[in-house]
Amino acid sequence: MRTRKEYLDRIKQAKTIVIKIGSARVSGENFKINDFLFGLSGDIRSLRDQGKEIILVSSGAIAQGKKLYHKIYSKEVNGSVTLSEKQAFAAMGQNRLLNLYESFFSRVNISIAQILFGRHDLHEEKNLTNLKNTFRQLLDWGILPIVNENDSIATEEIKIGDNDILSSIVASIVGADLLLILTGVDGFLVEEKKINLLEDVSSSFEGHAKGPSGPGTGGMATKLKAAKLLLPYGIYTGIVNGEEKNVISRFFQDENFGTLVANSDFQHRSPNEKEIQSQFLSISKEEGEM
């Protein structure tokens, strides 16, 4: 079995990187959000200066919408909410979320763009091709794409699901070298012990993965599923603690930081449109959504 250190050079050479940010990182107390985004923008500026291409997949629109609702009506949003309320919160919060990113990335001279798409876009090869072309043009122009599911119009029946899965689809579409998933724990834990390297996401490991513990919808289970989708294409996945300082830079420097899901037996390649559709359909069937 290979060691994590053997993968470090390949990680450092990654050119196209997708970074997934969960709701917890961009909701809650303002000083925590600001600290996180200050570090994130600096890390991404550093990666960009090394010639790397970055795409963000960010949750948080609904959380930001709830904050705005509280500000307007002085009411906390407690308990379950209806689908129409979720959609309305997303519509209220998406602009606030992008403004938040804009305020930090503009300080490091990075322009951003928003891409919203949904499950229906995955059923048409033409739509996937158009998405791929849009990503490529933005990256060629030096623009930072920020991606989210279009929650303001998606129903439960047509949602892609958790943004961990969305981030793996984005990584597939652009043929990324690396997906970095920021979470609230130190990595994938088995009996409270962090696993540094996973070369295979077996059912025994998946059995140790827990559901959501914060404001997000996924938890470790969907993070492992996202990584499992990418393994056959030689796309590596890092699961790291987003609460740590300079989390992204540390992953590129410290072989023991977070969990790496990778297997060098698989050569890196970009999945085609049919393979991307098959990836998503396999997850949908597994979760009983179709």
Side-chain angles (χ1 to χ4, degrees), residues 233-262:
Y233 305 106
I235 301 173
Y236 294 177
T237 301
I239 302 171
V240 295
N241 191 339
E243 295 181 359
E244 297 283 345
K245 297 290 186 184
N246 299 110
V247 55
I248 295 166
S249 296
R250 287 186 63 184
F251 184 78
F252 283 87
Q253 297 164 2
D254 185 351
E255 68 205 54
N256 296 313
F257 187 65
T259 296
L260 174 67
V261 184

Side-chain angles (χ1 to χ4, degrees), residues 63-281:
Q64 285 292 324
K66 288 179 178 179
K67 288 180 72 173
L68 179 56
Y69 179 89
H70 177 259
K71 182 178 179 181
I72 295 170
Y73 295 105
S74 299
K75 292 180 181 178
E76 293 285 353
V77 181
N78 296 315
S80 60
V81 296
T82 66
L83 174 60
S84 61
E85 287 172 333
K86 283 183 183 177
Q87 291 170 324
F89 287 139
M92 293 165 66
Q94 189 63 42
N95 186 55
R96 286 170 61 90
L97 182 63
L98 264 289
N99 286 341
L100 191 59
Y101 281 118
E102 172 71 26
S103 69
F104 280 87
F105 283 111
S106 62
R107 300 178 194 181
V108 293
N109 199 29
I110 295 177
S111 298
I112 66 173
Q114 175 179 261
I115 295 181
L116 300 175
F117 69 93
R119 182 172 181 157
H120 65 279
D121 295 304
L122 303 179
H123 289 286
E124 296 288 338
E125 288 185 37
K126 179 177 69 174
N127 291 346
L128 281 172
T129 300
N130 289 338
L131 273 170
K132 183 180 293 187
N133 292 340
T134 300
F135 278 119
R136 176 41 50 202
Q137 186 64 76
L138 289 170
L139 294 173
D140 287 347
W141 282 343
I143 307 298
L144 173 67
I146 300 180
V147 188
N148 198 357
E149 185 168 5
N150 197 353
D151 287 324
S152 62
I153 62 170
T155 66
E156 296 300 330
E157 290 76 23
I158 65 169
K159 279 179 66 64
I160 289 173
D162 184 82
N163 270 1
D164 294 326
I165 303 302
L166 180 68
S167 67
S168 72
I169 292 169
V170 171
S172 297
I173 290 172
V174 301
D177 300 292
L178 174 67
L179 167 64
L180 269 180
I181 300 178
L182 276 55
T183 184
V185 293
D186 291 336
F188 174 52
L189 306 177
V190 175
E191 296 178 353
E192 304 304 316
K193 182 180 179 181
K194 182 174 70 69
I195 304 298
N196 279 349
L197 174 65
L198 272 181
E199 292 188 304
D200 177 42
V201 183
S202 64
S203 57
S204 61
F205 281 122
E206 288 180 291
H208 289 279
K210 298 179 181 179
S213 58
T217 58
M220 191 56 65
T222 59
K223 290 166 180 56
L224 288 188
K225 285 178 183 176
K228 188 176 183 178
L229 287 174
L230 298 178
L231 263 180
Y233 305 106
I235 301 173
Y236 294 177
T237 301
I239 302 171
V240 295
N241 191 339
E243 295 181 359
E244 297 283 345
K245 297 290 186 184
N246 299 110
V247 55
I248 295 166
S249 296
R250 287 186 63 184
F251 184 78
F252 283 87
Q253 297 164 2
D254 185 351
E255 68 205 54
N256 296 313
F257 187 65
T259 296
L260 174 67
V261 184
N263 191 322
S264 58
D265 289 342
F266 295 107
Q267 294 297 311
H268 178 266
R269 68 181 182 87
S270 300
N272 60 39
E273 283 80 355
K274 287 188 181 297
E275 288 172 321
I276 295 168
Q277 289 174 323
S278 177
Q279 280 180 308
F280 175 62
L281 289 173

